[in-house]
Amino acid sequence: MQHAFPPLKLAGRSLLPIVQGGMGVGISAKRLAGAVAAAGGVGTIASVDLRHLHEDLVAQSKPLKDQTSLDALNLIALDREVRAARAAADGRGLVAVNVMKAVDAHAAYVRQACESGADAIVMGAGLPLDLPEMAADHPQVALIPILSESRGIGIVLKRWMKKGRLPDAIVIEHPKHAGGHLGAAKIADLSDAKFDFRRVLEETFELFKSLGLEREAVPLIVAGGVNSHEKVRTYLADYGASAVQVGTAFAVTREGDAHDNFKEVLANARPEDIGEFMSVAGLPARGVLTPFLKSYLKREDKLQANAKADPARCTQGLNCLTVCGLRDGLNKVGQFCIDLKLAAAFRGEVSKGLFFRGAEPLPFGNAIRSARELIDYLLTGRMPADLHTA
Protein backbone atom coordinates (compact mmCIF):
# COMPACT_ATOMS: atom_id res chain seq x y z
CA MET A 1 0.00 0.00 0.00
CA GLN A 2 1.44 3.34 -1.05
CA HIS A 3 1.32 6.05 1.61
CA ALA A 4 3.37 9.00 2.80
CA PHE A 5 4.47 7.76 6.23
CA PRO A 6 7.59 5.91 7.40
CA PRO A 7 7.02 2.25 8.28
CA LEU A 8 6.62 1.09 11.86
CA LYS A 9 9.78 -0.84 12.74
CA LEU A 10 8.82 -3.58 15.16
CA ALA A 11 10.10 -7.08 15.89
CA GLY A 12 12.57 -6.80 13.04
CA ARG A 13 9.86 -5.99 10.50
CA SER A 14 8.74 -2.98 8.50
CA LEU A 15 5.00 -2.60 8.98
CA LEU A 16 2.21 -0.25 8.08
CA PRO A 17 1.99 2.31 10.92
CA ILE A 18 -1.45 0.99 11.86
CA VAL A 19 -2.10 -1.07 15.00
CA GLN A 20 -5.50 -2.63 15.60
CA GLY A 21 -6.33 -2.40 19.28
CA GLY A 22 -7.20 -5.44 21.37
CA MET A 23 -10.91 -5.63 22.24
CA GLY A 24 -12.55 -8.32 24.35
CA VAL A 25 -14.46 -10.44 25.01
CA GLY A 26 -13.98 -11.90 21.54
CA ILE A 27 -14.32 -8.64 19.59
CA SER A 28 -10.81 -8.84 18.15
CA ALA A 29 -9.82 -12.44 17.61
CA LYS A 30 -8.44 -14.55 14.77
CA ARG A 31 -10.52 -13.12 11.94
CA LEU A 32 -9.91 -9.42 12.59
CA ALA A 33 -6.32 -9.74 13.81
CA GLY A 34 -5.47 -12.02 10.90
CA ALA A 35 -6.98 -9.61 8.37
CA VAL A 36 -5.11 -6.58 9.71
CA ALA A 37 -1.83 -8.49 9.82
CA ALA A 38 -2.41 -9.82 6.29
CA ALA A 39 -2.76 -6.20 5.13
CA GLY A 40 0.67 -5.43 6.62
CA GLY A 41 -0.31 -3.87 9.95
CA VAL A 42 -0.41 -5.11 13.54
CA GLY A 43 -3.46 -7.25 14.27
CA THR A 44 -4.24 -7.82 17.93
CA ILE A 45 -6.12 -10.65 19.64
CA ALA A 46 -7.70 -9.78 23.01
CA SER A 47 -6.86 -12.70 25.26
CA VAL A 48 -9.72 -12.50 27.77
CA ASP A 49 -12.14 -15.47 27.89
CA LEU A 50 -11.81 -16.60 24.29
CA ARG A 51 -13.64 -19.86 24.99
CA HIS A 52 -16.82 -18.01 23.94
CA LEU A 53 -15.62 -18.26 20.32
CA HIS A 54 -15.49 -22.07 20.39
CA GLU A 55 -18.68 -24.10 20.75
CA ASP A 56 -16.91 -27.18 22.05
CA LEU A 57 -15.16 -25.18 24.79
CA VAL A 58 -18.40 -23.42 25.75
CA ALA A 59 -20.06 -26.82 26.07
CA GLN A 60 -17.20 -28.14 28.19
CA SER A 61 -17.34 -25.09 30.45
CA LYS A 62 -21.07 -25.28 31.28
CA PRO A 63 -20.78 -27.81 34.11
CA LEU A 64 -17.57 -26.25 35.46
CA LYS A 65 -17.38 -23.84 38.38
CA ASP A 66 -13.71 -23.97 39.28
CA GLN A 67 -11.29 -21.33 38.08
CA THR A 68 -8.46 -23.73 37.18
CA SER A 69 -10.57 -25.70 34.69
CA LEU A 70 -12.04 -22.57 33.11
CA ASP A 71 -8.61 -20.99 32.79
CA ALA A 72 -7.37 -24.15 31.05
CA LEU A 73 -10.17 -23.91 28.47
CA ASN A 74 -9.35 -20.26 27.84
CA LEU A 75 -5.71 -21.12 27.23
CA ILE A 76 -6.77 -23.71 24.66
CA ALA A 77 -8.93 -21.06 22.98
CA LEU A 78 -6.08 -18.54 22.99
CA ASP A 79 -3.77 -21.08 21.37
CA ARG A 80 -6.32 -21.75 18.62
CA GLU A 81 -6.91 -18.06 17.96
CA VAL A 82 -3.22 -17.15 17.72
CA ARG A 83 -2.42 -20.01 15.37
CA ALA A 84 -5.43 -19.24 13.17
CA ALA A 85 -4.57 -15.53 12.97
CA ARG A 86 -0.98 -16.33 12.03
CA ALA A 87 -2.21 -18.70 9.33
CA ALA A 88 -4.49 -15.98 7.93
CA ALA A 89 -1.64 -13.45 7.99
CA ASP A 90 0.53 -15.89 6.01
CA GLY A 91 3.79 -14.29 7.09
CA ARG A 92 2.67 -10.71 6.57
CA GLY A 93 2.29 -8.02 9.22
CA LEU A 94 2.42 -8.96 12.87
CA VAL A 95 0.05 -10.80 15.21
CA ALA A 96 -0.04 -9.45 18.77
CA VAL A 97 -1.94 -10.56 21.86
CA ASN A 98 -3.38 -8.04 24.30
CA VAL A 99 -3.23 -9.16 27.94
CA MET A 100 -4.84 -7.09 30.69
CA LYS A 101 -2.66 -6.78 33.77
CA ALA A 102 -5.90 -6.62 35.80
CA VAL A 103 -6.82 -10.17 34.75
CA ASP A 104 -5.90 -12.71 37.41
CA ALA A 105 -4.44 -15.20 34.92
CA HIS A 106 -2.44 -12.60 32.99
CA ALA A 107 0.91 -14.36 33.43
CA ALA A 108 -0.52 -17.62 32.06
CA TYR A 109 -2.00 -15.76 29.08
CA VAL A 110 1.39 -14.21 28.33
CA ARG A 111 3.13 -17.57 28.44
CA GLN A 112 0.50 -19.25 26.27
CA ALA A 113 0.52 -16.46 23.70
CA CYS A 114 4.30 -16.72 23.40
CA GLU A 115 4.21 -20.51 23.12
CA SER A 116 1.48 -20.30 20.48
CA GLY A 117 3.60 -18.07 18.25
CA ALA A 118 2.39 -14.54 18.95
CA ASP A 119 4.78 -11.93 17.59
CA ALA A 120 4.09 -9.42 20.37
CA ILE A 121 2.46 -9.04 23.78
CA VAL A 122 0.61 -5.81 24.51
CA MET A 123 -0.24 -5.17 28.18
CA GLY A 124 -2.34 -2.47 29.81
CA ALA A 125 -4.89 -2.03 32.63
CA GLY A 126 -2.06 -1.67 35.14
CA LEU A 127 1.69 -1.07 35.09
CA PRO A 128 3.31 -4.09 33.39
CA LEU A 129 6.49 -3.90 35.44
CA ASP A 130 7.09 -7.66 35.39
CA LEU A 131 6.21 -8.36 31.75
CA PRO A 132 9.87 -9.03 30.83
CA GLU A 133 10.01 -11.85 33.38
CA MET A 134 6.78 -13.40 32.09
CA ALA A 135 8.14 -13.53 28.54
CA ALA A 136 11.77 -14.27 29.46
CA ASP A 137 11.81 -17.63 27.66
CA HIS A 138 10.73 -15.99 24.41
CA PRO A 139 13.15 -13.11 23.74
CA GLN A 140 11.98 -12.83 20.12
CA VAL A 141 8.49 -11.72 21.21
CA ALA A 142 8.03 -7.94 21.20
CA LEU A 143 6.80 -6.46 24.49
CA ILE A 144 4.56 -3.40 24.33
CA PRO A 145 3.11 -1.67 27.41
CA ILE A 146 0.00 0.51 27.19
CA LEU A 147 0.32 3.71 29.22
CA SER A 148 -1.36 7.11 29.22
CA GLU A 149 1.11 9.70 30.52
CA SER A 150 4.82 10.32 30.76
CA ARG A 151 5.13 9.56 34.48
CA GLY A 152 3.97 5.99 33.96
CA ILE A 153 6.21 5.66 30.91
CA GLY A 154 9.17 6.76 33.04
CA ILE A 155 8.39 4.22 35.76
CA VAL A 156 8.17 1.35 33.27
CA LEU A 157 11.23 2.40 31.28
CA LYS A 158 13.48 2.73 34.33
CA ARG A 159 12.33 -0.58 35.81
CA TRP A 160 12.75 -2.44 32.52
CA MET A 161 16.16 -0.88 31.84
CA LYS A 162 17.41 -2.27 35.15
CA LYS A 163 16.48 -5.68 33.75
CA GLY A 164 18.37 -5.00 30.52
CA ARG A 165 15.23 -4.70 28.40
CA LEU A 166 13.58 -1.83 26.57
CA PRO A 167 9.95 -1.96 25.45
CA ASP A 168 9.79 -2.76 21.75
CA ALA A 169 7.15 -0.02 21.47
CA ILE A 170 4.83 1.89 23.81
CA VAL A 171 1.14 2.53 23.21
CA ILE A 172 0.06 5.94 24.55
CA GLU A 173 -3.70 5.75 25.09
CA HIS A 174 -5.74 8.92 25.67
CA PRO A 175 -8.51 8.15 28.19
CA LYS A 176 -10.70 11.00 26.96
CA HIS A 177 -11.22 9.31 23.60
CA ALA A 178 -10.54 5.56 23.89
CA GLY A 179 -13.09 2.82 24.46
CA GLY A 180 -13.21 0.11 27.10
CA HIS A 181 -11.02 0.43 30.19
CA LEU A 182 -9.32 3.80 30.44
CA GLY A 183 -5.94 4.83 31.85
CA ALA A 184 -7.10 7.25 34.52
CA ALA A 185 -7.78 6.85 38.23
CA LYS A 186 -11.32 8.23 38.08
CA ILE A 187 -13.85 9.59 35.60
CA ALA A 188 -13.14 13.20 36.57
CA ASP A 189 -9.53 12.75 35.39
CA LEU A 190 -10.32 11.67 31.82
CA SER A 191 -9.82 15.15 30.34
CA ASP A 192 -6.67 16.01 32.31
CA ALA A 193 -4.19 17.91 30.13
CA LYS A 194 -1.41 15.52 31.16
CA PHE A 195 -2.89 13.00 28.72
CA ASP A 196 -2.74 15.25 25.63
CA PHE A 197 -0.84 13.44 22.88
CA ARG A 198 1.46 16.33 22.00
CA ARG A 199 2.40 16.84 25.64
CA VAL A 200 2.96 13.15 26.37
CA LEU A 201 5.07 12.68 23.24
CA GLU A 202 7.22 15.75 23.96
CA GLU A 203 7.71 14.72 27.60
CA THR A 204 8.55 11.17 26.56
CA PHE A 205 11.16 12.32 24.04
CA GLU A 206 12.71 14.43 26.83
CA LEU A 207 12.62 11.38 29.08
CA PHE A 208 14.45 9.37 26.42
CA LYS A 209 17.14 12.05 26.28
CA SER A 210 17.56 12.05 30.07
CA LEU A 211 17.98 8.26 30.01
CA GLY A 212 20.55 8.37 27.22
CA LEU A 213 18.17 6.89 24.66
CA GLU A 214 17.85 7.95 21.04
CA ARG A 215 14.55 9.52 20.04
CA GLU A 216 13.83 6.50 17.84
CA ALA A 217 14.83 3.94 20.49
CA VAL A 218 11.25 2.99 21.32
CA PRO A 219 8.43 3.55 18.79
CA LEU A 220 5.52 5.48 20.29
CA ILE A 221 2.01 4.52 19.17
CA VAL A 222 -0.89 6.88 19.96
CA ALA A 223 -4.33 5.44 20.65
CA GLY A 224 -7.75 6.93 21.27
CA GLY A 225 -9.99 8.90 18.93
CA VAL A 226 -7.97 8.14 15.79
CA ASN A 227 -10.78 8.33 13.24
CA SER A 228 -9.45 10.26 10.24
CA HIS A 229 -6.53 10.52 7.85
CA GLU A 230 -6.01 14.08 9.06
CA LYS A 231 -5.43 12.90 12.63
CA VAL A 232 -3.06 10.19 11.45
CA ARG A 233 -1.06 12.78 9.52
CA THR A 234 -0.97 15.12 12.52
CA TYR A 235 0.19 12.46 14.96
CA LEU A 236 2.78 10.87 12.66
CA ALA A 237 4.09 13.82 10.64
CA ASP A 238 3.74 16.65 13.17
CA TYR A 239 3.86 15.11 16.66
CA GLY A 240 6.50 12.44 15.97
CA ALA A 241 4.52 9.29 16.77
CA SER A 242 5.59 6.11 14.96
CA ALA A 243 2.09 4.65 14.49
CA VAL A 244 -1.53 4.94 15.53
CA GLN A 245 -3.70 2.37 17.28
CA VAL A 246 -7.37 2.11 16.28
CA GLY A 247 -10.03 0.11 18.11
CA THR A 248 -13.72 0.88 17.56
CA ALA A 249 -13.37 1.55 13.83
CA PHE A 250 -11.86 -1.93 13.39
CA ALA A 251 -14.47 -3.54 15.65
CA VAL A 252 -17.20 -2.62 13.17
CA THR A 253 -15.42 -3.87 10.04
CA ARG A 254 -16.69 -6.90 8.17
CA GLU A 255 -13.83 -8.96 9.59
CA GLY A 256 -14.62 -8.02 13.20
CA ASP A 257 -15.19 -11.21 15.17
CA ALA A 258 -18.34 -10.09 17.01
CA HIS A 259 -21.98 -10.55 16.00
CA ASP A 260 -23.40 -8.11 13.44
CA ASN A 261 -25.68 -6.70 16.16
CA PHE A 262 -22.58 -5.65 18.07
CA LYS A 263 -21.28 -3.77 15.04
CA GLU A 264 -24.63 -2.07 14.48
CA VAL A 265 -24.80 -0.88 18.09
CA LEU A 266 -21.34 0.70 17.87
CA ALA A 267 -21.78 2.11 14.37
CA ASN A 268 -25.14 3.75 15.10
CA ALA A 269 -24.25 5.21 18.52
CA ARG A 270 -24.55 9.00 18.66
CA PRO A 271 -22.40 11.10 21.02
CA GLU A 272 -25.26 11.23 23.52
CA ASP A 273 -25.48 7.42 23.43
CA ILE A 274 -21.94 6.99 24.81
CA GLY A 275 -21.13 7.28 28.49
CA GLU A 276 -18.45 6.75 31.13
CA PHE A 277 -18.76 4.65 34.26
CA MET A 278 -16.59 2.81 36.77
CA SER A 279 -15.83 -0.75 35.76
CA VAL A 280 -15.70 -3.65 38.19
CA ALA A 281 -11.94 -3.68 37.50
CA GLY A 282 -11.60 -0.37 39.37
CA LEU A 283 -10.93 1.67 36.23
CA PRO A 284 -13.09 4.19 34.38
CA ALA A 285 -14.61 2.74 31.23
CA ARG A 286 -16.54 3.97 28.20
CA GLY A 287 -19.35 2.25 26.37
CA VAL A 288 -22.70 2.59 24.64
CA LEU A 289 -25.70 3.39 26.83
CA THR A 290 -27.63 0.26 25.90
CA PRO A 291 -30.56 -1.07 28.01
CA PHE A 292 -28.27 -2.92 30.41
CA LEU A 293 -25.93 0.02 31.03
CA LYS A 294 -28.77 2.53 31.40
CA SER A 295 -30.52 0.27 33.90
CA TYR A 296 -27.31 -0.42 35.79
CA LEU A 297 -26.40 3.26 36.10
CA LYS A 298 -29.85 4.03 37.53
CA ARG A 299 -29.25 1.40 40.21
CA GLU A 300 -25.54 1.97 40.69
CA ASP A 301 -25.75 3.98 43.94
CA LYS A 302 -27.99 1.37 45.56
CA LEU A 303 -25.83 -1.52 44.35
CA GLN A 304 -22.67 0.15 45.61
CA ALA A 305 -24.28 0.89 48.98
CA ASN A 306 -25.01 -2.84 49.32
CA ALA A 307 -21.58 -4.00 48.15
CA LYS A 308 -20.08 -6.80 50.22
CA ALA A 309 -17.15 -9.12 49.84
CA ASP A 310 -18.49 -12.53 48.90
CA PRO A 311 -16.69 -15.08 46.68
CA ALA A 312 -20.08 -16.57 45.78
CA ARG A 313 -20.89 -13.43 43.82
CA CYS A 314 -18.60 -14.77 41.11
CA THR A 315 -21.37 -17.04 39.84
CA GLN A 316 -19.19 -18.49 37.07
CA GLY A 317 -16.26 -19.35 39.31
CA LEU A 318 -13.92 -17.78 36.78
CA ASN A 319 -12.59 -15.07 39.14
CA CYS A 320 -11.27 -13.39 36.02
CA LEU A 321 -10.08 -10.16 37.66
CA THR A 322 -7.39 -9.69 40.28
CA VAL A 323 -9.64 -7.00 41.77
CA CYS A 324 -13.40 -7.26 41.19
CA GLY A 325 -15.80 -4.71 42.62
CA LEU A 326 -18.69 -7.17 42.71
CA ARG A 327 -16.83 -10.09 44.27
CA ASP A 328 -14.65 -8.02 46.60
CA GLY A 329 -17.36 -5.63 47.81
CA LEU A 330 -15.67 -2.45 46.60
CA ASN A 331 -18.33 0.23 46.91
CA LYS A 332 -16.66 2.84 44.69
CA VAL A 333 -16.51 0.73 41.52
CA GLY A 334 -18.70 -1.46 39.32
CA GLN A 335 -21.18 -3.97 40.71
CA PHE A 336 -21.88 -6.39 37.86
CA CYS A 337 -20.19 -9.39 36.22
CA ILE A 338 -18.16 -7.88 33.41
CA ASP A 339 -17.38 -11.21 31.77
CA LEU A 340 -21.05 -12.12 31.40
CA LYS A 341 -21.92 -8.69 30.03
CA LEU A 342 -19.05 -8.53 27.52
CA ALA A 343 -19.78 -12.07 26.33
CA ALA A 344 -23.43 -11.09 25.80
CA ALA A 345 -22.30 -8.14 23.69
CA PHE A 346 -20.06 -10.41 21.61
CA ARG A 347 -23.11 -12.60 20.90
CA GLY A 348 -25.10 -9.54 19.87
CA GLU A 349 -27.53 -9.57 22.81
CA VAL A 350 -28.33 -5.86 22.74
CA SER A 351 -30.53 -5.77 25.85
CA LYS A 352 -28.07 -7.68 28.04
CA GLY A 353 -24.58 -6.79 26.81
CA LEU A 354 -21.94 -4.25 27.73
CA PHE A 355 -20.78 -2.61 24.48
CA PHE A 356 -17.44 -0.86 24.90
CA ARG A 357 -16.87 1.96 22.41
CA GLY A 358 -14.60 4.94 21.83
CA ALA A 359 -16.00 8.46 22.09
CA GLU A 360 -15.43 9.71 18.53
CA PRO A 361 -17.49 9.36 15.32
CA LEU A 362 -16.44 6.52 13.03
CA PRO A 363 -14.57 7.18 9.75
CA PHE A 364 -17.29 5.59 7.60
CA GLY A 365 -20.28 6.69 9.69
CA ASN A 366 -22.59 3.73 10.25
CA ALA A 367 -21.33 1.83 7.21
CA ILE A 368 -19.77 -1.59 7.79
CA ARG A 369 -16.72 -1.87 5.53
CA SER A 370 -13.59 -4.00 5.28
CA ALA A 371 -10.48 -3.69 7.41
CA ARG A 372 -8.38 -3.07 4.31
CA GLU A 373 -10.59 -0.14 3.26
CA LEU A 374 -10.22 1.35 6.74
CA ILE A 375 -6.44 1.02 6.65
CA ASP A 376 -6.31 2.55 3.18
CA TYR A 377 -8.40 5.53 4.28
CA LEU A 378 -6.40 6.17 7.45
CA LEU A 379 -3.08 6.14 5.59
CA THR A 380 -4.07 7.85 2.34
CA GLY A 381 -7.31 9.73 2.93
CA ARG A 382 -9.04 7.82 0.12
CA MET A 383 -12.64 7.07 1.01
CA PRO A 384 -14.33 4.06 -0.59
CA ALA A 385 -15.79 5.20 -3.90
CA ASP A 386 -19.39 4.67 -2.84
CA LEU A 387 -19.07 6.55 0.46
CA HIS A 388 -18.97 10.28 1.09
CA THR A 389 -17.39 12.03 4.05
CA ALA A 390 -19.86 13.32 6.59
Side-chain angles (χ1 to χ4, degrees):
M1 183 181 297
Q2 297 295 316
H3 61 88
F5 307 111
L8 170 63
K9 301 287 189 177
L10 187 59
R13 306 183 195 183
S14 292
L15 308 164
L16 296 178
I18 298 288
V19 177
Q20 165 250 312
M23 299 167 284
V25 167
I27 309 307
S28 64
K30 58 180 176 290
R31 199 166 57 161
L32 178 56
V36 175
V42 179
T44 308
I45 295 168
S47 61
V48 177
D49 212 1
L50 286 166
R51 65 196 162 100
H52 291 287
L53 281 74
H54 301 269
E55 291 184 7
D56 62 325
L57 300 182
V58 171
Q60 291 179 52
S61 69
K62 285 182 178 177
L64 301 175
K65 292 297 180 184
D66 66 290
Q67 182 177 356
T68 301
S69 298
L70 292 170
D71 283 342
L73 294 179
N74 282 322
L75 294 176
I76 293 171
L78 176 57
D79 178 67
R80 292 179 183 178
E81 295 295 314
V82 172
R83 294 182 188 279
R86 284 178 55 83
D90 195 24
R92 297 180 294 274
L94 185 148
V95 174
V97 172
N98 178 284
V99 179
M100 289 177 59
K101 175 75 171 176
V103 169
D104 189 58
H106 63 270
Y109 284 154
V110 169
R111 289 191 294 270
Q112 184 63 64
C114 292
E115 291 168 5
S116 299
D119 299 303
I121 303 296
V122 184
M123 182 173 282
L127 289 176
L129 300 177
D130 52 353
L131 181 54
E133 287 89 338
M134 295 180 215
D137 292 338
H138 302 272
Q140 79 284 0
V141 176
L143 304 182
I144 307 171
I146 303 177
L147 302 156
S148 290
E149 41 87 24
S150 59
R151 179 178 176 274
I153 293 172
I155 292 171
V156 170
L157 269 179
K158 292 170 186 175
R159 183 72 63 87
W160 285 29
M161 288 175 74
K162 289 181 179 178
K163 303 171 184 181
R165 176 87 192 230
L166 284 176
D168 293 273
I170 296 171
V171 174
I172 299 171
E173 186 175 82
H174 198 314
K176 182 178 179 180
H177 306 291
H181 290 105
L182 307 171
K186 51 186 184 292
I187 293 173
D189 294 339
L190 296 179
S191 297
D192 194 308
K194 70 181 180 181
F195 300 124
D196 290 348
F197 284 146
R198 183 189 286 274
R199 173 173 168 176
V200 178
L201 287 164
E202 289 176 352
E203 291 176 351
T204 301
F205 290 136
E206 286 299 313
L207 174 66
F208 286 177
K209 188 184 299 183
S210 72
L211 295 174
L213 300 173
E214 297 292 332
R215 183 183 174 98
E216 299 79 17
V218 181
L220 302 179
I221 303 164
V222 296
V226 182
N227 63 348
S228 71
H229 171 67
E230 290 72 25
K231 287 185 179 178
V232 173
R233 187 173 61 237
T234 295
Y235 300 149
L236 300 190
D238 299 340
Y239 290 10
S242 296
V244 296
Q245 177 175 291
V246 179
T248 304
F250 274 119
V252 304
T253 58
R254 292 173 187 146
E255 296 88 348
D257 291 85
H259 193 281
D260 285 347
N261 288 351
F262 176 92
K263 301 174 188 180
E264 294 293 337
V265 167
L266 268 61
N268 289 296
R270 301 162 298 176
E272 59 267 31
D273 298 327
I274 302 166
E276 294 81 38
F277 56 97
M278 288 301 293
S279 166
V280 297
L283 294 167
R286 179 173 290 115
V288 181
L289 295 168
T290 49
F292 156 70
L293 190 52
K294 288 180 180 177
S295 173
Y296 166 73
L297 291 175
K298 288 179 181 177
R299 298 177 291 117
E300 184 179 47
D301 289 345
K302 183 176 180 180
L303 292 169
Q304 289 177 334
N306 291 309
K308 62 178 180 179
D310 183 359
R313 285 192 164 191
C314 183
T315 56
Q316 298 182 94
L318 182 58
N319 288 299
C320 58
L321 297 173
T322 305
V323 174
C324 171
L326 179 65
R327 179 197 64 208
D328 301 336
L330 306 177
N331 61 10
K332 300 295 184 183
V333 300
Q335 299 294 313
F336 57 89
C337 176
I338 194 167
D339 185 72
L340 282 176
K341 294 304 176 184
L342 291 177
F346 162 76
R347 294 191 298 268
E349 297 173 8
V350 178
S351 64
K352 298 179 181 179
L354 173 60
F355 292 73
F356 281 154
R357 189 199 191 284
E360 305 302 316
L362 294 173
F364 301 149
N366 61 3
I368 307 300
R369 307 296 295 212
S370 71
R372 190 173 288 271
E373 286 174 308
L374 175 60
I375 293 170
D376 184 60
Y377 165 68
L378 291 172
L379 292 179
T380 71
R382 291 190 297 263
M383 292 289 286
D386 57 335
L387 288 181
H388 301 284
T389 55

